[in-house]
Amino acid sequence: MARPTAQVLALLELLQSGGVRTMAELAERLGVEPRTVRRYVSHLVDLDLPVESVRGRYGGYRLAAGYRLPPLMFNDDEALAVLLGLIAGRRAGLATATDTAGETAAAKIRRVLPPRTADRLDAALQSLAFTAEPGDFPAPQTEVLLAVAEAVRHHRPISVQYTSGDGRRSVRVLHPFGLVNHAGRWYVTGVDPEIGEERTLRLDRIADARPLPGSFEPPAGNDPAGHLLNSMARAPYPHAVSLRIQGTVEQIRRRLPASIAEVREGADEGWQDVEIRAESLVARRARRARPAVRHRTPGRTPRPRRRTRRAASGLGTT
């Protein structure tokens, strides 16, 4: 159920659409009793919003004629930051299953901006190009994300209806520790209290999330993002990857996540043979760290080319 403040704002949005809204209509739209609607109206009146009561058979509530909310006071930097954030979030997989939410939010902001600021923002957005195509990421339901986030914040256990990757459906209880967005997908990390084991669930596979009575204490040093990366690294992958990386063992372990199965000293001085469990995850980290990497053929000990040695700066130190 939405919080009272959110419900009051929802009531205001209904009234702003114009006309008289009956008590029955408002109660149905908000999912509350008529007496609760009257209480929400009182909150709006206390905020000096001109809500009028209309008597009669088809009476109800309406905003005073000609009333408009004051415009949002954004400067150019703030307005551009908000709109770019909406665009970037949608492309990066930060949106929820409500595909139009970002578009309608951006439209509302642009509608109340001063004409000069709106024109300049339109010019910036129309001139903007991206080097990468927008990702087609599975999005979680808004209500599921908010319910899980609230459970994380208040350390409440939750019951979730979950569908696994192979299509099996189940109802699970979870002590959620944190939400993580990784590679365009949303995850929740936590512990299954029945077996005491850590779990990582994808939010887009959760059909429903409901809080349960009680509370729990998160572990000390809780790191949801680190737990997610480690769990992905330990997961079985169809391919094993062997890399030869220039640098010390300490440098390699500091730069790469805990997906390294083994590090052995290579035949060439300053080079290490690294066995990787999580191919896709480590590949992204390796590109960012810019190590000198070459494939290793089983049964053969390759020597680095001189050009590679000169160009590679190794992993370096920070």
Side-chain angles (χ1 to χ4, degrees):
M1 187 180 201
R3 294 175 178 272
T5 301
Q7 294 284 66
V8 171
L9 294 176
L11 170 61
L12 177 59
E13 186 172 4
L14 291 173
L15 296 176
Q16 283 186 105
S17 60
V20 177
R21 299 283 183 169
T22 66
M23 177 70 75
E25 178 187 4
L26 293 173
E28 181 180 359
R29 294 288 295 274
L30 297 174
V32 298
E33 298 293 330
R35 60 184 179 184
T36 305
V37 174
R38 285 191 286 268
R39 187 168 72 249
Y40 291 164
V41 170
S42 298
H43 291 333
L44 294 177
V45 172
D46 291 339
L47 295 172
D48 294 328
L49 295 174
V51 181
E52 298 178 342
S53 176
V54 180
R55 299 183 180 276
R57 181 178 179 181
Y58 301 102
Y61 295 100
R62 68 183 178 194
L63 284 176
Y67 175 78
R68 295 181 59 188
L69 285 175
L72 293 175
M73 302 301 292
F74 283 140
N75 60 31
D76 290 0
D77 289 342
E78 293 168 337
L80 183 60
V82 171
L83 293 179
L84 287 180
L86 291 172
I87 295 173
R90 185 166 64 249
R91 294 179 66 93
L94 294 176
T96 60
T98 307
D99 294 333
T100 60
E103 296 177 1
T104 56
K108 288 180 179 180
I109 293 173
R110 293 167 71 175
R111 190 163 55 240
V112 298
L113 290 175
R116 178 179 176 275
T117 300
D119 290 342
R120 298 186 70 190
L121 289 176
D122 285 339
L125 297 178
Q126 292 172 7
S127 304
L128 182 62
F130 293 89
T131 58
E133 294 295 326
D136 185 16
F137 303 111
Q141 299 180 33
T142 301
E143 288 301 321
V144 168
L145 191 153
L146 295 179
V148 173
E150 190 171 19
V152 170
R153 181 177 184 180
H154 297 290
H155 306 158
R156 296 278 301 276
I158 54 174
S159 172
V160 300
Q161 296 181 13
Y162 193 73
T163 302
S164 62
D166 56 8
R168 290 181 298 174
R169 298 182 178 180
S170 61
V171 176
R172 307 186 183 190
V173 175
L174 185 71
H175 288 178
F177 295 159
L179 288 169
V180 183
N181 184 276
H182 173 70
R185 290 183 171 87
W186 288 88
Y187 299 86
V188 56
T189 66
V191 164
D192 185 332
E194 295 184 0
I195 59 178
E197 293 185 1
E198 295 181 339
R199 287 287 182 264
T200 300
L201 305 180
R202 273 177 47 177
L203 255 65
D204 61 284
R205 293 177 177 171
I206 298 178
D208 185 59
R210 299 180 182 274
L212 298 175
S215 62
F216 64 88
E217 189 65 28
N222 179 37
D223 180 13
H227 167 73
L228 174 67
L229 294 178
N230 289 335
S231 65
M232 286 184 169
R234 291 192 297 267
Y237 280 78
H239 302 289
V241 179
S242 299
L243 304 176
R244 175 156 289 185
I245 303 179
Q246 185 181 35
T248 66
V249 174
E250 292 75 15
Q251 290 171 342
I252 294 172
R253 291 195 178 279
R254 186 168 62 247
R255 289 284 187 168
L256 299 179
S259 54
I260 299 175
E262 184 179 3
V263 179
R264 300 183 304 277
E265 184 177 354
D268 302 304
E269 183 178 355
W271 291 73
Q272 314 297 331
D273 292 335
V274 183
E275 301 292 333
I276 299 298
R277 283 189 290 252
E279 177 180 0
S280 59
L281 175 63
V282 176
R284 285 193 294 271
R285 294 294 184 91
R287 284 197 300 270
R288 186 171 62 187
R290 296 182 181 178
V293 177
R294 294 183 297 154
H295 295 288
R296 188 185 67 187
T297 303
R300 178 185 176 188
T301 304
R303 297 188 62 82
R305 298 177 182 176
R306 292 184 179 180
R307 183 175 60 184
T308 303
R309 276 181 175 271
R310 290 196 300 267
S313 59
L315 291 175
T317 58
T318 57

